[in-house]
Amino acid sequence: MKAMLLAAGRGERMRPLTDTCPKPLLKVRGRPLIVWHILNLVKAGITEIVINHAHLGHMIVDTLGDGSQFGAKISYSAEETALETAGGIAKALPLLGSDPFIVVSADIYIPHFDFKECLNTLEDNDPWGNPLPEQERDIAWLYMVKNPGFHPTGDFALTLMGLSNEGSPRHTFANIGVYRPEMFSSIRPGDHAKLAPLMREFIDVGRIGGELYRGEWHNLGTPEQLNALNAPLNFVKG
């Protein structure tokens, strides 16, 4: 299985730090955000990684190189301007191949996530081992977290049948998911496209499952949040 790290965003709310440094290279507890993901992916045996970039992308390439310093093999998908999440994934599909792949936002901090859990989330067979028709297979599997203070209403509801656009309790998408490449087949490479509308479309037809992740998770949006996480007490705990 391959993984894609989304690193093309401008990080407007993190300015002025992101005026001179791409957000994924900002350090948390002594290590760049994106490096936390790379090390955890490699630990899970996932070594083929694709990274998209736009704003100050050369700094990401210069810092990470070909990935050999981490035991990984990194490929890059350069975007002249950020194509939004779904657009960036669609452009990178030739690098990701025909099998399901993991996608993670490079600017979240989730230090203890075990990516081994992603390996068998999208099954081709039913519980009795019978092949599922293609239109009945989950096309994506999303990891959710309890709603943070900045997003109290959540994104989707978790049900026994998968994710739902309606109902409660609602949870927040953790910006970690496993996707089949055909989910993005309607997007032309180079087009701008958001991920949320695509998710809702496939949730409506019952093709996206998910689960709740209860470990440490931070979506860092402002310098104040970054400073709080790097405060001496938190640093020791990390």
Side-chain angles (χ1 to χ4, degrees):
M1 176 175 273
K2 295 182 180 181
M4 180 174 184
L5 299 178
L6 301 172
R10 176 66 176 80
E12 289 288 348
R13 292 191 301 141
M14 195 64 83
R15 297 182 69 183
L17 299 179
T18 50
D19 288 340
T20 56
C21 178
K23 188 177 177 184
L25 292 185
L26 295 177
K27 289 187 177 181
V28 175
R29 297 173 179 170
R31 181 180 290 162
L33 281 163
I34 197 169
V35 172
W36 284 98
H37 297 316
I38 294 170
L39 293 177
N40 282 336
L41 285 165
V42 170
K43 184 179 179 181
I46 301 163
T47 58
E48 293 188 66
I49 300 171
V50 176
I51 300 174
N52 70 334
H53 62 77
H55 173 64
L56 299 177
H58 66 282
M59 295 180 65
I60 294 175
V61 177
D62 290 345
T63 300
L64 305 179
D66 63 2
S68 57
Q69 60 182 310
F70 310 108
K73 180 182 178 181
I74 295 177
S75 303
Y76 295 96
S77 179
E79 301 171 16
E80 187 173 343
T81 59
L83 299 175
E84 301 284 359
T85 302
I89 295 170
K91 185 178 185 298
L93 285 179
L95 298 172
L96 291 165
S98 58
D99 295 326
F101 50 83
I102 302 166
V103 177
V104 186
S105 291
D107 57 0
I108 61 170
Y109 178 63
I110 185 166
H112 307 300
F113 188 83
D114 185 356
F115 284 101
K116 289 180 182 177
E117 296 186 11
C118 300
L119 297 178
N120 298 306
T121 53
L122 297 183
E123 298 289 352
D124 293 334
N125 302 322
D126 66 19
W128 300 275
N130 302 310
L132 287 167
E134 184 175 333
Q135 66 272 19
E136 293 183 15
R137 298 175 186 169
D138 278 347
I139 202 164
W141 187 270
L142 308 183
Y143 291 86
M144 313 295 290
V145 292
K146 291 184 177 180
N147 298 331
F150 63 84
H151 192 52
T153 58
D155 296 309
F156 310 113
L158 276 170
T159 74
L160 293 177
M161 302 303 293
L163 290 180
S164 173
N165 289 314
E166 308 294 337
S168 61
R170 297 174 68 80
H171 302 288
T172 294
F173 176 45
N175 293 327
I176 302 174
V178 182
Y179 305 91
R180 296 185 189 272
E182 53 263 35
M183 181 170 172
F184 306 93
S185 61
S186 63
I187 304 170
R188 294 179 303 178
D191 280 358
H192 289 72
K194 295 181 180 293
L195 183 58
L198 202 58
M199 287 178 172
R200 294 190 183 99
E201 175 186 333
F202 282 103
I203 286 173
D204 275 340
V205 295
R207 294 198 61 193
I208 296 187
E211 62 186 273
L212 185 64
Y213 177 71
R214 300 180 184 276
E216 184 178 4
W217 177 89
H218 302 273
N219 188 341
L220 297 176
T222 66
E224 291 75 22
Q225 288 175 305
L226 183 65
N227 290 338
L229 199 56
N230 281 329
L233 180 60
N234 284 329
F235 192 88
V236 171
K237 288 169 62 180

